[in-house]
Amino acid sequence: MNTPQIRLTGVSRKRGAFTLQADAEFGAGIHLLTGRVGSGKTTLGELLAGIGEPDFGTIQWNGGRRVMLLQDTSYHISTMTVQEEAGSWHGDAERIIRTAGLTGKEHTDLLRLSRGEVRRLELAAILTGQYDLIVLDEPWAGLDEEARRWVRQLIDSHAHEIIVIISHDLTSLPHIDQLWEMECGRLKQLGQVPACLSKWTKAPPLVRYLLNKGVHLSGLSREELEEAVCRIPG
Amino acid sequence: MQDPRIRLVTTILLSAAAWISLPGAVLSILWWLICGKARTSIRSIRSFFIILIVPGVMGLAAVWSGEDGLSYVVRIVAVLIIASWMYAERYPGELLDVGVWFLGTKTGFDLGLIGELSMSSLDTLARETDRISVALRQKGTPLSLRMIPAVFSGILIRQLNLAQERAILLTLRGYTRGGMHCPSFSSPDIDRINGAFSCTIFLLSLIAGDFFNIAGSTFIV
């Protein structure tokens, strides 16, 4: 199988006073893109997903080009019931429903589902599908802890694709391979996790606290962070 | 055109001129090409033709019933072009500026606020339509009539949620009626000249449209 790879060369996109700039290479694995609100994370995700073109520079693909972008609302919904919606993804509808934990609700109107249930259905359809690049923009929005754990497990089983997670919430992450930071529109590759964590100057408070305590972090996933907390000396 | 007051008056005058007579419609389109620098919020020819479907059908119906359907279509096209020019030129907050300048900090503020909220809802709607279209394309599901209830109910629910969030925000900020706002405008000479042209087109359209000829009595000859 051809390993997917995306190369951004001299990419820039200007919108008013804001300019996004990126030179990067995304290979198979799970990438975390962090940064402040308005720093350009979503814009980069949209460029990667092929929504809009950069003003300058090129985005080159190696391997397949099946792309899926999940944003914070249910833009993908095109039918009225759970069964119809699972079927509309051209995959194994039963598997999607089972993965989403909606067995028994096949004929339920989507409007009667909670926001979290709709989110689970979308995520199950995306993560059981065949894509080369999946961009998940704030995938944990509207999900309870149990559903977050379920998403983590589902993402963890997708190491052969490029998965880019854009998130502020760093307490529910799956295993992360590469860490990226967006700062005032400029994309920076921090490196491979966990090696890059010690030089992560803008790490979230929990990670900073653990690093200051001298605890070695083996990764950024929820389980890895919990394990690190247990190893705090004293 | 930088001054929203002149732009608003120009839009009203040119729309009226386009509606009153066919020469007014043609002159309005010419004004848009020359003075409006052909700016439009319609992003593709395809979108333009989609917008024209309903007026086109109405025009055909008019021709079929013996009326001047072509004139109707040209006038509607001119009105749509002027509206799209105005939408493309607008900047956030201008309706509040114009409302307060024109009607003060109570009624003007309220009307301006309603206008701004409506315009921003239109922006959201346009953005959502784009996103939905991309999402369905990525999903591999071509847009069909069967999808309309699902897609539109989603849009409706998100718009209602947005309206609720805004209402809560306004309530939290203590909004009851009116508010303080100090509008400022930039009015370059070119805006005034272009505005004056639109007045001329309006008057020419009134004359060409025989507007002053009421019940056989000519008011202007």
Side-chain angles (χ1 to χ4, degrees):
Chain A
M1 197 168 73
N2 211 349
T3 314
Q5 193 179 46
I6 310 168
R7 180 173 294 160
L8 287 79
T9 313
V11 164
S12 76
R13 192 178 194 193
K14 194 168 165 54
R15 287 290 173 273
F18 173 79
T19 305
L20 170 82
Q21 290 175 303
D23 268 291
E25 202 171 288
F26 290 86
I30 302 172
H31 303 256
L32 173 67
L33 176 57
T34 67
R36 287 186 159 193
V37 173
S39 60
K41 302 186 298 294
T42 296
T43 308
L44 180 74
E46 289 179 352
L47 282 178
L48 287 172
I51 301 176
E53 295 288 322
D55 297 330
F56 298 101
T58 54
I59 300 177
Q60 285 175 304
W61 284 73
N62 182 19
R65 200 177 172 166
R66 292 163 299 182
V67 181
M68 180 51 69
L69 167 70
L70 176 75
Q71 291 186 318
D72 63 345
T73 41
S74 319
Y75 295 143
H76 294 102
I77 287 176
S78 56
T79 59
M80 295 305 286
T81 67
V82 171
Q83 179 80 51
E84 288 171 354
E85 186 56 25
S88 72
W89 284 82
H90 313 291
D92 182 345
E94 264 182 53
R95 186 176 166 220
I96 293 172
I97 293 170
R98 198 172 55 246
T99 311
L102 294 174
T103 307
K105 290 191 172 181
E106 287 85 351
H107 302 289
T108 306
D109 196 316
L110 289 171
L111 294 175
R112 291 185 178 276
L113 294 184
S114 71
R115 199 175 156 202
E117 286 175 318
V118 174
R119 193 83 174 152
R120 265 167 33 202
L121 182 63
E122 275 188 56
L123 280 163
I126 291 171
L127 293 169
T128 56
Q130 298 288 315
Y131 299 103
D132 301 300
L133 166 68
I134 299 175
V135 181
L136 301 171
D137 197 345
E138 301 293 352
W140 292 280
L143 296 180
D144 58 21
E145 186 43 44
E146 193 187 335
R148 285 167 181 235
R149 190 165 49 243
W150 167 84
V151 176
R152 282 201 296 276
Q153 287 165 355
L154 209 54
I155 294 174
D156 276 335
S157 62
H158 279 68
H160 55 285
E161 298 153 359
I162 307 171
I163 295 193
V164 179
I165 298 171
I166 300 171
S167 183
H168 286 104
D169 185 353
L170 303 183
T171 58
S172 301
L173 295 172
H175 176 77
I176 299 294
D177 295 312
Q178 288 283 338
L179 186 59
W180 302 80
E181 196 166 57
M182 189 63 89
E183 198 180 338
C184 302
R186 193 176 283 272
L187 179 65
K188 286 199 305 191
Q189 182 174 19
L190 296 181
Q192 190 87 25
V193 176
C196 69
L197 294 178
S198 57
K199 52 185 180 189
W200 191 8
T201 51
K202 288 182 181 155
L206 176 61
V207 174
R208 219 165 32 229
Y209 172 77
L210 291 168
L211 292 171
N212 288 342
K213 285 277 177 190
V215 178
H216 170 73
L217 283 171
S218 54
L220 283 175
S221 73
R222 169 88 181 199
E223 289 73 19
E224 285 161 332
L225 287 178
E226 280 174 354
E227 194 245 344
V229 169
C230 292
R231 281 191 285 109
I232 295 174
Chain B
M1 190 175 273
Q2 291 175 36
D3 192 326
R5 297 167 300 179
I6 301 176
R7 195 177 333 122
L8 185 66
V9 172
T10 300
T11 304
I12 293 168
L13 289 175
L14 290 177
S15 303
W19 189 247
I20 289 167
S21 71
L22 188 59
V26 174
L27 286 172
S28 295
I29 294 172
L30 276 175
W31 183 97
W32 170 71
L33 285 170
I34 299 162
C35 303
K37 293 172 186 162
R39 280 199 74 188
T40 174
S41 54
I42 302 170
R43 280 175 287 177
S44 67
I45 294 286
R46 185 169 163 264
S47 311
F48 183 65
F49 282 114
I50 289 171
I51 292 167
L52 274 187
I53 288 175
V54 174
V57 170
M58 298 292 283
L60 281 175
V63 170
W64 184 66
S65 61
E67 299 293 327
D68 190 358
L70 182 66
S71 162
Y72 171 80
V73 171
V74 172
R75 285 181 292 145
I76 280 282
V77 166
V79 170
L80 288 173
I81 281 175
I82 296 303
S84 80
W85 167 79
M86 191 209 180
Y87 194 75
E89 292 271 309
R90 68 177 276 272
Y91 59 83
E94 67 170 34
L95 292 176
L96 199 57
D97 287 346
V98 174
V100 170
W101 172 79
F102 190 52
L103 292 168
T105 51
K106 282 204 161 58
T107 310
F109 185 93
D110 289 346
L111 287 175
L113 185 64
I114 291 167
E116 286 299 330
L117 291 175
S118 309
M119 283 301 201
S120 106
S121 289
L122 279 179
D123 286 342
T124 309
L125 207 57
R127 207 166 43 245
E128 290 230 319
T129 310
D130 271 353
R131 292 287 178 274
I132 288 168
S133 144
V134 169
L136 294 179
R137 205 165 57 234
Q138 288 182 338
K139 192 179 167 185
T141 312
L143 204 62
S144 70
L145 284 176
R146 282 189 63 205
M147 280 180 203
I148 288 174
V151 170
F152 276 80
S153 54
I155 290 175
L156 184 66
I157 288 168
R158 286 192 290 273
Q159 285 285 328
L160 288 173
N161 285 338
L162 182 66
Q164 189 183 21
E165 279 168 23
R166 284 172 168 171
I168 291 169
L169 189 66
L170 284 172
T171 310
L172 286 174
R173 294 183 70 173
Y175 173 78
T176 49
R177 200 195 154 196
M180 280 307 295
H181 183 63
C182 301
S184 63
F185 302 98
S186 158
S187 308
D189 288 343
I190 190 74
D191 283 9
R192 294 166 195 263
I193 294 166
N194 290 339
F197 273 132
S198 71
C199 286
T200 313
I201 291 171
F202 176 69
L203 290 172
L204 286 172
S205 181
L206 283 181
I207 295 165
D210 221 9
F211 188 77
F212 295 102
N213 193 341
I214 299 170
S217 309
T218 304
F219 283 63
I220 293 178
V221 176

